[in-house]
């Protein structure tokens, strides 16, 4: 395998930086940062117990890495599926700030530009650590199959079950990834109560990570004891051996259920998988490293990216440019109550 | 800001009232001792109003500001305010929208005004203090009922019509003017917050000027 290094450019959130380091650990690569946004100070203040933030200057980046690959949403970027760096030698995968993208000087320096194809128009980017994990996974694998243009990708898209997440931010970021990759609905088995019926802080953290304000995905609560009648169930795991993820057919439509369990909370061997469907298959997400800090969003994003690759997407219409949406100014009032229904007790109703 | 002559006659070709050639000829004749009478220029016609399209309102709804009321307002403020506007549409609102949507500017130059329920309005939920202030300033009488779950808004007299004319139409025209006179008609030229503030201030100034003129 070619030496691979993850470089974070202008990252602002130290927790994202930490998760990026863990994502790099997953594929056995190093992680460096180009600090523009006072990340070092924020790192020192919030994650003091961890080691010092490894930084790199742009000159050093240019000298040390013969192949610099920029991961961003450029117009001329190649899809990450099936991509191989054109230049030999050590590869630096640069990911940028979620809002601002990769800075202009690194963009000029980069030898290749790649993007993770997004289906959703509302949620058009992943969490930076999740994007880095997807990028590292495909670069570490070295190519693989490319994405196919399909006239009816939604018919090929399987149902999704996000199982037992223990952290609202991890679950929220996974939901964001699911929406970005084109899922319109997902089942959520919320065993730890981090999404449905949680307290206000957890709720706001999770919803913020999921970008729920503009994320239209429909979340269906799934009870842990509930039975389902899927024809085929695919459980994606990193801890247990099974069929490699990229060799599994993950685009069998609505009769198939993709289950992504949070393996820091769910014990695969103790679960009754038969309740979900007739045929259950354990699929192994093969990562180069054996010991790494488990983050649900990273594993879920890689699994969703691979499924989205197999599902394919509609080919972009030839000759149709991505148009800039014209501004619209609206005068409207929004009532404060969000819920359509109210909980009314019988005695209140009688009194009314 | 564009020249007043341009605003008055937006569809005239440039140089249509250019008198330089006429003056050169007159000067040449004058050197020979002949004085020419200068023909009076035809007065420039008033710029045409933007097209106003009216769609019948939904059942139980109405267009509080009629086409005539809108035309009267546009004529009062003159071509400087509607220069570049292409059309004003009075259309049916979307019953699926949970919000109270009054109007919308689709850049460049298309203003949409939605039909509304006649007074009084019953709103499910509560409005924020800022929203209530907007309604009260326009003359509405909001009232919270049933343990805060519903709100009734009464619009006495012509207040609903004036709300639509000033706080919605002139507000959207304010947005339009920012876009139009910046010369970048299809790009956002200011932060949304600044855009909204300027449009609000413009609508308020228009209301004051109109009320002063009517009272005077």
């Amino acid at each position: 395998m070619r030496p691979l290094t993850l470089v974070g450019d202008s990252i602002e959130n130290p927790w994202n930086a930490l998760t990026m380091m863990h994502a790099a650990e997953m594929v056995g690569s190093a992680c460096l940062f180009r600090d523009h946004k006072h990340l070092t100070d924020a790192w020192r203040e919030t994650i003091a117990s961890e080691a010092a933030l490894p930084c790199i200057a742009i000159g050093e980046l240019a000298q040390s890495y013969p192949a610099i690959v920029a991961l961003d949403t450029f117009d001329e970027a190649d899809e990450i599926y099936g991509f191989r760096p054109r230049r030999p030698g050590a590869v630096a995968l640069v990911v940028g700030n979620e809002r601002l993208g990769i800075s202009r000087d690194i963009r000029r320096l980069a030898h290749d530009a790649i993007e993770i194809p997004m289906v959703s128009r509302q949620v058009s980017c992943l969490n930076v650590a999740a994007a880095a994990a997807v990028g590292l996974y495909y670069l570490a694998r070295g190519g693989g199959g490319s994405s196919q243009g399909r006239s009816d990708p939604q018919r090929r898209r399987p149902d999704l079950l996000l199982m037992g997440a223990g952290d609202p931010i991890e679950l929220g970021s996974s939901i964001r990834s699911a929406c970005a990759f084109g899922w319109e609905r997902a089942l959520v088995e919320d065993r730890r109560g981090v999404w449905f019926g949680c307290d206000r802080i957890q709720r706001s953290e999770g919803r913020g990570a999921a970008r729920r304000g503009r994320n239209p995905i429909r979340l269906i609560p799934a009870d842990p004891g509930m039975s389902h009648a899927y024809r085929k169930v695919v459980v994606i795991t990193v801890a247990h051996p099974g069929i490699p993820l990229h060799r599994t057919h993950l685009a069998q439509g609505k009769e198939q259920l993709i289950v992504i369990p949070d393996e820091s909370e769910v014990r695969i061997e103790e679960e009754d998988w038969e309740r979900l469907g007739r045929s259950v298959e354990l699929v192994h997400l093969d990562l180069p490293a054996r010991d790494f800090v488990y983050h649900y969003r990273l594993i879920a994003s890689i699994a969703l990216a691979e499924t989205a690759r197999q599902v394919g997407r509609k080919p972009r219409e030839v000759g149709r440019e991505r148009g800039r949406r014209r501004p619209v100014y609206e005068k409207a009032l929004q009532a404060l109550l969000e819920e359509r229904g109210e909980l009314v007790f019988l005695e209140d109703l009688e009194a009314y | 800001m564009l020249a007043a002559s341009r605003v008055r006659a937006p569809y005239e070709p440039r140089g249509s009232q250019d008198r330089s050639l006429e003056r050169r000829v007159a000067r040449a004749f004058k050197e020979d001792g002949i004085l020419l009478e200068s023909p009076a220029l035809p007065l420039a016609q008033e710029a045409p109003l933007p097209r106003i399209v009216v769609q019948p309102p939904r059942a139980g709804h109405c267009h509080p500001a009629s086409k005539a009321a809108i035309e009267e307002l546009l004529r009062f403020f003159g071509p400087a305010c509607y220069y570049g506007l292409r059309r004003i549409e009075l259309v049916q609102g979307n019953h699926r929208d949970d919000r109270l949507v009054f109007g919308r500017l689709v850049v460049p130059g298309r203003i949409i005004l939605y039909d509304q329920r006649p007074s009084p309005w019953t709103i499910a939920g509560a409005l924020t203090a800022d929203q209530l202030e907007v309604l009260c300033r326009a003359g509405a009488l909001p009232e919270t009922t049933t343990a805060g779950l519903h709100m009734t808004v009464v619009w006495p007299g012509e207040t609903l019509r004036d709300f639509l004319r000033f706080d919605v139409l002139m507000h959207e025209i304010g947005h339009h003017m920012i876009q139009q006179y910046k010369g970048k008609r299809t790009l956002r030229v200011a932060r949304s917050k600044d855009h909204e503030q300027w449009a609000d201030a413009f609508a308020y100034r228009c209301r004051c000027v109109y009320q002063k003129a009517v009272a005077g």
Side-chain angles (χ1 to χ4, degrees):
Chain A
M1 197 177 93
R2 293 167 70 173
L4 180 61
T5 304
L6 176 65
V7 179
D9 178 35
S10 313
I11 305 295
E12 288 171 308
N13 185 339
W15 295 106
N16 269 340
L18 183 64
T19 316
M20 284 170 66
M21 291 172 81
H22 294 157
E25 269 175 29
M26 276 191 338
V27 294
S29 67
C31 181
L32 303 168
F33 293 92
R34 184 166 176 247
D35 185 15
H36 267 303
K37 305 279 179 188
H38 310 291
L39 176 65
T40 315
D41 301 336
W43 176 271
R44 210 174 294 128
E45 284 165 17
T46 52
I47 314 175
S49 61
E50 295 287 331
L53 187 76
C55 290
I56 189 168
I58 188 162
E60 197 184 340
L61 180 71
Q63 280 180 355
S64 313
Y65 295 94
I68 299 173
V69 180
L71 177 62
D72 207 337
T73 50
F74 304 120
D75 281 342
E76 69 279 8
D78 297 322
E79 279 191 8
I80 194 162
Y81 308 125
F83 170 80
R84 285 171 191 271
R86 293 190 189 95
R87 293 166 68 109
V91 180
L93 174 69
V94 186
V95 292
N97 185 299
E98 282 179 31
R99 285 184 299 115
L100 309 171
I102 292 174
S103 50
R104 202 171 290 171
D105 48 359
I106 290 201
R107 217 180 289 177
R108 270 197 296 251
L109 201 67
H111 306 109
D112 291 300
I114 54 172
E115 66 169 355
I116 303 169
M118 299 288 149
V119 176
S120 171
R121 280 172 177 259
Q122 285 96 338
V123 180
S124 57
C125 74
L126 306 181
N127 167 266
V128 65
V134 173
L136 286 170
Y137 174 76
Y138 282 99
L139 281 183
R141 266 189 61 203
S146 59
S147 173
Q148 299 291 318
R150 303 279 181 186
S151 60
D152 55 348
Q154 286 302 338
R155 285 181 63 188
R156 294 165 51 81
R157 189 176 296 280
D159 270 354
L160 174 66
L161 171 62
L162 302 171
M163 181 185 271
D167 184 284
I169 298 175
E170 297 291 328
L171 179 58
S173 292
S174 309
I175 290 168
R176 178 180 171 184
S177 298
C179 177
F181 284 121
W183 268 267
E184 289 171 355
R185 66 173 197 172
L187 298 160
V188 178
E189 209 174 283
D190 186 20
R191 297 178 180 192
R192 295 286 301 272
V194 295
W195 192 264
F196 301 110
C198 55
D199 63 31
R200 195 177 58 80
I201 297 170
Q202 283 193 331
R203 186 183 162 88
S204 61
E205 282 178 348
R207 267 51 169 190
R211 299 288 185 270
R212 207 66 181 112
R214 57 171 192 269
N215 182 341
I217 193 169
R218 192 171 153 222
L219 297 177
I220 303 163
D223 193 65
M226 196 186 282
S227 297
H228 298 269
Y230 286 95
R231 194 171 57 80
K232 190 159 190 184
V233 178
V234 173
V235 182
I236 298 174
T237 163
V238 287
H240 285 260
I243 307 164
L245 180 68
H246 59 275
R247 288 200 192 150
T248 314
H249 186 16
L250 299 168
Q252 296 182 33
K254 296 294 173 200
E255 293 193 334
Q256 187 183 29
L257 178 70
I258 304 289
V259 184
I260 309 177
D262 183 348
E263 287 178 81
S264 60
E265 301 287 336
V266 177
R267 290 186 177 280
I268 301 289
E269 63 275 9
E270 291 174 9
E271 279 296 318
D272 174 23
W273 299 112
E274 303 296 325
R275 70 183 172 88
L276 296 175
R278 272 178 276 168
S279 156
V280 180
E281 202 170 45
L282 282 183
V283 168
H284 182 55
L285 174 56
D286 191 20
L287 295 168
R290 291 283 158 249
D291 295 323
F292 54 84
V293 181
Y294 185 92
H295 283 277
Y296 183 56
R297 73 178 107 160
L298 306 183
I299 303 301
S301 298
I302 294 170
L304 291 169
E306 178 58 22
T307 313
R309 180 188 76 78
Q310 293 193 20
V311 166
R313 58 182 192 148
K314 282 191 175 175
R316 201 177 285 169
E317 287 176 47
V318 179
R320 186 170 172 179
E321 296 294 320
R322 283 186 201 173
R324 185 190 289 271
R325 191 176 287 179
R326 292 181 173 184
V328 170
Y329 295 97
E330 201 169 65
K331 183 85 176 176
L333 298 181
Q334 171 84 56
L336 276 178
L337 285 180
E338 280 186 354
E339 306 294 338
R340 282 172 183 274
E342 287 290 318
L343 186 65
V344 181
F345 294 101
L346 269 179
E347 50 269 29
D348 292 345
L349 203 59
E350 279 171 7
Y352 184 80
Chain B
M1 190 62 102
L2 292 169
S5 59
R6 186 79 198 144
V7 173
R8 275 195 304 274
Y11 302 114
E12 286 291 312
R14 288 186 193 281
S16 64
Q17 294 182 4
D18 183 12
R19 302 183 71 179
S20 57
L21 177 64
E22 184 194 322
R23 286 194 187 113
R24 268 207 303 276
V25 173
R27 206 176 299 125
F29 273 96
K30 192 178 176 184
E31 283 169 6
D32 296 338
I34 304 165
L35 283 174
L36 291 181
E37 283 285 319
S38 175
L41 274 176
L43 285 172
Q45 286 184 343
E46 190 76 350
L49 289 177
R51 191 172 172 209
I52 301 176
V53 183
V54 184
Q55 187 186 27
R58 289 170 290 172
H61 290 68
C62 63
H63 290 302
S66 63
K67 183 176 176 179
I70 290 170
E71 283 179 347
E72 187 248 319
L73 194 71
L74 294 180
R75 287 209 179 89
F76 177 83
F77 288 108
C81 109
Y82 60 80
Y83 182 77
L85 265 186
R86 296 177 184 184
R87 55 198 277 152
I88 296 172
E89 297 172 22
L90 305 180
V91 300
Q92 296 184 355
N94 183 1
H95 65 278
R96 286 183 195 158
D97 204 330
D98 295 338
R99 300 171 305 158
L100 289 169
V101 186
F102 304 117
R104 175 181 287 181
L105 168 74
V106 181
V107 174
R110 180 174 162 225
I111 291 178
I112 301 167
L113 300 178
Y114 295 102
D115 61 356
Q116 305 297 330
R117 286 194 176 277
S119 175
W121 292 350
T122 305
I123 300 168
L127 297 174
T128 62
D130 293 348
Q131 293 174 340
L132 282 176
E133 196 193 325
V134 169
L135 296 184
C136 291
R137 214 168 46 208
L141 305 170
E143 199 176 296
T144 309
T145 58
T146 333
L149 291 178
H150 293 90
M151 176 165 270
T152 311
V153 180
V154 179
W155 293 94
E158 301 291 341
T159 48
L160 179 56
R161 185 197 68 176
D162 286 347
F163 174 70
L164 260 289
R165 289 207 303 173
F166 292 103
D167 293 71
V168 181
L169 176 64
M170 296 313 290
H171 176 94
E172 298 305 338
I173 288 179
H175 282 303
H176 163 75
M177 287 179 79
I178 299 175
Q179 294 291 130
Q180 178 69 24
Y181 289 110
K182 279 278 183 181
K184 292 178 178 175
R185 285 159 207 166
T186 56
L187 296 173
R188 195 180 292 274
V189 295
R191 287 190 311 165
S192 292
K193 195 178 164 189
D194 298 339
H195 228 291
E196 290 294 338
Q197 275 183 354
W198 200 92
D200 271 338
F202 176 76
Y204 178 71
R205 280 201 306 273
C206 288
R207 186 189 269 269
C208 292
V209 168
Y210 184 82
Q211 283 175 346
K212 201 172 170 183
V214 170

